């Protein structure tokens, strides 16, 4: 476990942690504490009524968390706590253990590091949330620029190639998806629901219906509509996800965690050449994959 600085093509660097070959975020914790938390992730013990929410970073996990927590608690009111409270690569198992049910345990780790054994043993309902890779890349770049702990101030054109080579935290999105694809093809062995950011944007009602069916939860139409409204991008922006002290500690002043919340913002960032490079890599690494096609534009 070592603290590392990864350079982009222009020489600007960002803080990360090397956990035996896997690059993880620097969570502003002592490396030894981070290592202890990481080592325990595969052995995490669930409560029977936990949900597991899996996603590659910037796929909309906070949005899904807010939606799912309201479904589980059957209320459209603001929820207690935050997704990070039950993020198992960030919090100690002891601290997650103390959370009251319902809990939405969540993790950005690749499939191989997840607590698959207990997910199977306890038949934990698991949701994988995916988003198109171009919008993820843009969102991730802005995240790394805006979150103080990265200490990063590079340029998009210098960041993108390094990100696509899988040199940054959590590795390549293509690897993440291919690992999940194998897990799904092998038969996951626990209740599993796959959802997409773009589908939530396009037809939130239908996606909530699917979630309700998967979770075996029944709520009336009024509550369904209220939840959709409370979890809409504009409402979430107005509500503010983090208290001022948390924002001050973790985020640069111009950073917005809820940045744009759109499908297709990548078009404002990618040059023609960057888009071609991206498509070439995607084609090479994902051809034949069931995750090869994403929605890149809504209109
Ligand atoms: P953008 O940076 O493209 O705006 P995560 O929660 O996994 O870190 O993902 C963050 C991304 O989800 C950000 O994307 C954020 O704006 C978007 N997001 C969060 N809540 C949303 C909502 N209610 N509707 C649409 N997008 C949302």
């Amino acid at each position: 476990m070592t603290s590392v600085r990864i350079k982009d093509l222009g020489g600007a660097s960002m803080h990360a942690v090397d956990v035996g070959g896997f690059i993880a975020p620097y969570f502003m914790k002592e490396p030894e504490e981070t290592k202890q938390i990481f080592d325990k992730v595969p052995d995490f013990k669930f409560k029977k009524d936990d949900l597991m929410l899996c996603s590659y970073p910037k796929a909309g996990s906070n949005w899904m968390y807010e939606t799912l927590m309201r479904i589980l608690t059957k209320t459209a009111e603001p929820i207690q706590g935050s997704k990070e409270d039950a993020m198992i690569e960030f919090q100690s198992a002891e601290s997650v253990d103390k959370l009251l049910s319902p809990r939405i345990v969540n993790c950005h780790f690749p499939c191989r590091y997840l607590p698959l054994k207990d997910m199977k043993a306890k038949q934990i309902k698991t949701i994988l949330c995916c988003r198109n890779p171009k919008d993820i890349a843009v969102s991730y770049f802005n995240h790394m620029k805006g979150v103080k702990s990265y200490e990063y101030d590079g340029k998009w054109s210098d960041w993108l190639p390094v990100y696509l080579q899988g040199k940054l935290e959590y590795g390549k999105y293509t690897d993440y998806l291919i690992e999940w694809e194998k897990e799904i093809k092998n038969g996951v062995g626990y209740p599993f629901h796959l959802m997409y950011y773009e589908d939530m944007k396009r037809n939130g009602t239908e996606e909530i219906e699917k979630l309700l069916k998967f979770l075996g939860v029944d709520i009336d139409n009024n509550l369904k509509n209220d939840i959709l409204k409370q979890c809409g991008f504009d409402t979430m922006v107005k509500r503010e996800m983090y208290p001022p002290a948390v924002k001050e500690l973790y985020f640069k002043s111009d950073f917005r965690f809820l940045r744009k919340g759109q499908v297709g913002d990548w078009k404002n960032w990618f040059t023609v050449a960057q888009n071609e490079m991206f498509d070439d890599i995607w084609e090479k690494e994902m051809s034949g994959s069931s995750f090869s096609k994403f929605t890149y534009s809504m209109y």
Side-chain angles (χ1 to χ4, degrees):
M1 166 77 60
T2 39
S3 183
V4 289
R5 294 206 69 98
I6 302 170
K7 280 194 180 158
D8 72 11
L9 292 188
S13 70
M14 68 203 82
H15 205 166
V17 176
D18 186 339
V19 197
F22 179 72
I23 301 297
Y26 165 61
F27 283 131
M28 291 167 103
K29 295 179 198 284
E30 287 302 317
E32 194 45 42
E33 188 187 350
T34 304
K35 179 171 169 42
Q36 282 169 8
I37 293 175
F38 280 22
D39 284 351
K40 285 186 181 165
V41 166
D43 297 321
F44 179 80
K45 295 285 175 275
F46 290 89
K47 294 184 196 167
K48 275 202 135 178
D49 60 348
D50 285 342
L51 285 192
M52 179 72 193
L53 175 61
C54 306
S55 62
Y56 185 80
K58 311 318 288 177
S61 57
N62 280 277
W63 182 18
M64 302 315 147
Y65 182 91
E66 294 258 342
T67 306
L68 287 163
M69 196 49 108
R70 284 176 175 79
I71 290 177
L72 294 179
T73 53
K74 298 194 174 186
T75 175
E77 299 303 312
I79 55 174
Q80 301 296 314
S82 74
K83 184 183 87 73
E84 284 79 17
D85 296 339
M87 185 175 174
I88 52 177
E89 73 265 45
F90 180 52
Q91 306 286 359
S92 68
E94 294 74 28
S95 145
V96 180
D97 279 350
K98 286 187 196 131
L99 297 174
L100 299 177
S101 295
R103 301 189 308 179
I104 304 173
V105 177
N106 59 90
C107 191
H108 292 319
F109 275 174
C111 210
R112 65 184 181 281
Y113 295 133
L114 293 179
L116 296 170
K117 214 165 130 200
D118 215 41
M119 284 158 68
K120 283 180 191 153
K122 300 207 176 98
Q123 289 294 294
I124 298 301
K125 288 183 177 150
T126 300
I127 293 160
L128 170 63
C129 175
C130 297
R131 184 183 189 187
N132 87 60
K134 294 180 186 177
D135 281 326
I136 283 198
V138 170
S139 185
Y140 217 168
F141 169 71
N142 283 283
H143 178 94
M144 290 190 179
K145 288 260 293 188
V147 175
K148 284 182 180 173
S149 57
Y150 292 100
E151 297 166 357
Y152 177 63
D153 197 21
K155 289 197 302 216
W156 164 248
S157 54
D158 292 330
W159 178 90
L160 183 65
V162 180
Y163 167 70
L164 289 176
Q165 285 163 14
K167 292 194 172 154
L168 306 187
E169 61 180 40
Y170 293 111
K172 289 183 186 180
Y173 188 32
T174 49
D175 288 344
Y176 180 90
L177 291 171
I178 283 167
E179 244 185 72
W180 262 109
E181 183 170 27
K182 278 192 197 135
E183 173 80 358
I184 295 166
K185 272 191 185 147
N186 290 339
V188 289
Y190 40 83
F192 178 76
H193 181 69
L194 172 63
M195 60 187 302
Y196 291 90
Y197 180 102
E198 292 78 16
D199 290 342
M200 274 292 279
K201 284 294 282 189
R202 187 172 18 219
N203 195 343
T205 310
E206 199 175 297
E207 292 310 302
I208 286 204
E209 294 290 353
K210 288 184 200 162
L211 280 174
L212 290 170
K213 198 165 165 221
F214 174 66
L215 298 173
V217 175
D218 197 17
I219 57 175
D220 65 32
N221 282 338
N222 285 341
L223 182 52
K224 237 177 273 174
N225 291 333
D226 285 351
I227 291 177
L228 270 174
K229 195 167 163 225
Q230 285 305 319
C231 297
F233 185 77
D234 294 342
T235 318
M236 276 179 65
V237 169
K238 275 194 210 125
R239 201 167 48 236
E240 294 269 5
M241 272 175 61
Y242 298 102
V246 173
K247 286 204 302 198
E248 169 64 28
L249 179 65
Y250 290 109
F251 304 150
K252 291 182 191 165
S253 58
D254 57 349
F255 177 66
R256 303 279 168 273
F257 193 95
L258 297 162
R259 195 185 56 90
K260 283 224 172 156
Q262 292 174 359
V263 178
D265 183 43
W266 64 272
K267 290 178 194 164
N268 298 315
W269 289 79
F270 280 69
T271 62
V272 171
Q274 286 166 347
N275 195 34
E276 280 172 9
M277 170 181 70
F278 198 105
D279 287 345
D280 281 352
I281 292 174
W282 195 259
E283 170 70 23
K284 202 163 101 239
E285 297 183 7
M286 296 301 285
S287 71
S289 164
S290 58
F291 285 116
S292 60
K293 303 256 181 295
F294 277 92
T295 302
Y296 288 96
S297 168
M298 296 292 272
Y299 309 103

